[in-house]
Amino acid sequence: MAGRQLASKWLKTQALLSDPRVAGYIPRTMEYSAAGLLTMLGRYSNVVIKPVVGGGGYGVIKVFRDSRGYGFTYMHSTRTFRDFSSMRHALDRFKVKRKYLIQQGISLARISGRPLDYRVKVAKEGDHWVFRAMVGRLARPGLFVTNLCKGGTMLSCRQGLRKSLPKVSASAKKAEMRRLTLICIELMERHFPGVGELGFDYAVDHRGKIWILEVNTRPK
């Protein structure tokens, strides 16, 4: 049984941030505002904005600041602007009509220039949680989103780690993801009683650090 579903990425992020064992794995995240976006771009060279409610890469946009000024990438299209105000007005036309979050951009490890992340699926069977899947998702060439519904390629977690970070222990990173997942399950159950199925989206950056990008209560 799927159990309780919770759509808000913001509420789930706040639940994870409440535990110091997990907080360090969460990219800096805030609710979207123009002022917040400018502040985040001042701190990080790129951020990702995503609808508070939505999945499958829907409405996800990468926003960046570089030597050209400001810009954003949506699917295959990248636009650049000399100033923040011009960029923001153009960005408003690309955003879907939903509330958004701003999340610190993570420099994902890559395979042949293509970023990848990882999906860990767990489900409750009786009184116990079981791991259903740990897979890598390799972005379609030219895209920064890894979702399979956007043309991403699925590969095993071990294969993804070995090919993208050959000097890092794939076994150690998988074990760290599993330990982190068990802590997060405990948090999600405490904050949202009745959840029965969870999908964790993990990133591993180019240095080998693990990040939790989001948690899904309706994992595909």
Side-chain angles (χ1 to χ4, degrees):
M1 188 174 74
R4 179 178 178 182
Q5 295 178 355
L6 185 77
S8 172
K9 292 181 174 70
W10 182 237
L11 290 178
K12 288 178 283 190
T13 297
Q14 288 180 306
L16 297 181
L17 284 169
S18 71
D19 192 307
R21 295 173 296 173
V22 176
Y25 290 93
I26 308 294
R28 177 79 189 278
T29 306
M30 64 170 60
E31 293 180 290
Y32 181 88
S33 68
L37 181 59
L38 184 59
T39 298
M40 288 281 274
L41 287 171
R43 184 169 297 177
Y44 310 105
S45 59
N46 73 88
V47 301
V48 172
I49 66 168
K50 57 177 77 173
V52 174
V53 176
Y58 176 69
V60 177
I61 303 170
K62 181 162 68 174
V63 188
F64 58 87
R65 170 183 53 82
D66 63 18
S67 59
R68 297 169 293 180
Y70 295 88
F72 62 86
T73 299
Y74 180 64
M75 297 300 289
H76 287 285
S77 174
T78 295
R79 303 185 65 186
T80 58
F81 304 84
R82 289 186 179 178
D83 60 85
F84 177 78
S85 179
S86 301
M87 185 276 292
R88 184 181 65 81
H89 287 302
L91 182 63
D92 285 343
R93 295 195 294 272
F94 277 77
K95 288 165 57 216
V96 297
K97 303 300 182 187
R98 295 187 180 185
K99 287 185 177 180
Y100 266 77
L101 290 179
I102 311 169
Q103 191 175 74
Q104 169 191 349
I106 303 300
S107 180
L108 298 180
R110 295 169 179 257
I111 298 174
S112 300
R114 298 160 63 183
L116 79 156
D117 62 14
Y118 301 87
R119 167 62 64 89
V120 177
K121 287 186 188 179
V122 293
K124 194 167 189 178
E125 296 184 0
D127 294 329
H128 303 285
W129 285 84
V130 297
F131 283 79
R132 290 272 178 85
M134 293 183 74
V135 298
R137 303 183 303 181
L138 184 63
R140 177 180 169 184
L143 296 188
F144 71 89
V145 293
T146 61
N147 305 80
L148 302 182
C149 61
K150 292 287 191 293
T153 301
M154 187 167 66
L155 62 168
S156 74
C157 185
R158 185 176 300 276
Q159 186 181 17
L161 289 164
R162 283 181 170 172
K163 287 191 171 185
S164 62
L165 294 164
K167 295 181 180 179
V168 171
S169 167
S171 296
K173 287 298 159 189
K174 281 189 68 177
E176 187 178 353
M177 281 187 208
R178 290 179 73 95
R179 286 196 302 270
L180 194 52
T181 298
L182 292 172
I183 296 171
C184 291
I185 289 170
E186 175 192 322
L187 282 172
M188 294 295 288
E189 280 202 295
R190 187 189 313 155
H191 284 84
F192 313 112
V195 291
E197 195 175 12
L198 295 167
F200 295 87
D201 289 348
Y202 288 110
V204 182
D205 68 22
H206 64 288
R207 294 188 178 93
K209 175 176 168 55
I210 292 176
W211 298 87
I212 304 172
L213 298 179
E214 62 181 71
V215 185
N216 300 277
T217 54
R218 292 186 298 174
K220 298 290 199 240

